[in-house]
Amino acid sequence: MKLAFRGKSKLGFVDGSCVKRMYKGELVEQWEKYNAIVLSWIGSTVSNELMPSIVYASNANKVSADFQERFDRSNLTRIYHLWTAIVTLRQRTNSVTSYYSKMKDLWDELDVIAPLASCDCEESRPSVELLKNIHLL
């Protein structure tokens, strides 16, 4: 979802960097309009069971924070399943291209959920190198 919001230049409504109090006068009405649009986009992508969380919401950031609090805990489970899928993936009768694509998709998803350390400090280099080498196994 973040990718879609960034593509539409509306990520600030979800991540909290575009806050209503930053605007005055006519811009407040524009903020309200775009916030409502973002809320409708969220509403059109979630299951019916989650709609009550959105229908009465006044702020896309609050909805995003609520969903993050509810569902981010499942990341550890997803990380486990990704590692299991990576470790057990075999080429067998698949083409090299198909096998590589499946493996790359798994690693890409894992990198999004559990990214490597972004600092270039001396202490983190061994860990980053180890994880890069694991990608090659």
Side-chain angles (χ1 to χ4, degrees):
M1 282 182 87
K2 286 184 179 180
L3 185 62
F5 289 129
R6 185 180 314 251
K8 295 180 183 271
S9 300
K10 301 294 182 268
L11 184 59
F13 288 89
V14 176
D15 70 10
S17 60
C18 182
V19 184
K20 184 178 177 179
R21 69 176 179 271
M22 294 169 48
Y23 302 97
K24 305 260 187 263
E26 293 177 15
L27 293 178
V28 171
E29 184 60 34
Q30 263 192 324
W31 186 94
E32 291 280 352
K33 174 184 169 185
Y34 290 123
N35 181 65
I37 289 170
V38 170
L39 283 169
S40 73
W41 289 339
I42 294 171
S44 69
T45 61
V46 300
S47 66
N48 289 335
E49 294 87 25
L50 295 173
M51 282 306 294
S53 301
I54 298 169
V55 172
Y56 300 108
S58 61
N59 187 311
N61 177 250
K62 288 181 182 176
V63 170
S64 175
D66 176 47
F67 286 173
Q68 189 168 7
E69 183 179 323
R70 281 195 226 182
F71 302 113
D72 254 8
R73 292 181 177 95
S74 64
N75 275 355
L76 290 176
T77 303
R78 184 64 188 145
I79 289 168
Y80 171 78
H81 288 293
L82 286 169
W83 273 111
T84 302
I86 289 167
V87 170
T88 59
L89 184 65
R90 302 288 182 261
Q91 182 179 353
R92 294 196 173 105
T93 59
N94 293 322
S95 68
V96 172
T97 303
S98 175
Y99 172 72
Y100 175 79
S101 294
K102 288 177 185 176
M103 181 66 75
K104 184 170 180 349
D105 290 345
L106 292 168
W107 277 114
D108 288 348
E109 185 178 351
L110 185 62
D111 287 342
V112 168
I113 294 173
L116 295 174
S118 60
C119 75
D120 194 25
C121 58
E122 194 65 38
E123 294 82 22
S124 70
R125 283 189 188 141
S127 298
V128 171
E129 286 302 314
L130 174 64
L131 288 172
K132 285 181 182 178
N133 288 333
I134 289 172
H135 275 73
L136 301 174
L137 297 177

